[in-house]
Amino acid sequence: MLTAVKYKVIIKDKVIGITELERSDPPMGFVFGVLEPTQFYTSDINTDNGRIYIYETDEEIACEFITVEDHSEEWGEQCIEVTVLVKSAEEYEKFFKHHLDAYEKQFI
């Protein structure tokens, strides 16, 4: 069984959370998923200049921006999602080929 790749979201040199970026929109260049927060996360975090890295290898994925939406208060339980706009199609294919393959498979 294939294990999911984990990614760390870093703001101001602090890991604010870990995600599997389990969902995607390949034509638009987005990946997104549930964010498991660390002690450095706050619900009002400013994600400007945020970065994302592969957890195991510390390889950075070039991105245009990262957003974090925290719906925990309105849902009454932890519900935090991160969205990443990957910088280029080449970068997307390099790091998220599994999302591209799944997307293209639906048209076969």
Side-chain angles (χ1 to χ4, degrees):
M1 184 168 129
L2 187 63
T3 58
V5 175
K6 292 188 185 282
Y7 306 89
K8 54 187 172 182
V9 179
I10 298 180
I11 309 291
K12 295 184 179 177
D13 297 323
K14 304 274 191 218
V15 177
I16 63 149
I18 306 297
T19 181
E20 292 181 1
L21 297 172
E22 61 272 15
R23 296 184 307 280
S24 67
D25 184 345
M28 297 299 290
F30 288 101
V31 287
F32 44 97
V34 173
L35 182 75
E36 288 299 323
T38 68
Q39 70 271 24
F40 301 111
Y41 173 81
T42 60
S43 61
D44 63 346
I45 193 118
N46 180 341
T47 59
D48 290 348
N49 301 312
R51 299 180 324 274
I52 190 150
Y53 293 83
I54 296 176
Y55 189 83
E56 293 292 323
T57 65
D58 280 336
E59 189 172 5
E60 184 173 6
I61 300 167
C63 62
E64 290 291 330
F65 66 81
I66 297 170
T67 62
V68 174
E69 294 183 53
D70 191 332
H71 301 286
S72 302
E73 191 172 311
E74 56 205 78
W75 283 77
E77 62 186 54
Q78 185 173 294
C79 181
I80 307 167
E81 185 172 79
V82 60
T83 301
V84 177
L85 176 57
V86 179
K87 191 164 189 88
S88 68
E90 295 78 20
E91 195 82 349
Y92 200 99
E93 184 172 9
K94 178 180 178 182
F95 292 105
F96 301 106
K97 183 152 178 26
H98 60 289
H99 284 312
L100 281 172
D101 291 345
Y103 176 77
E104 291 170 0
K105 190 175 185 179
Q106 69 183 337
F107 301 109
I108 297 176

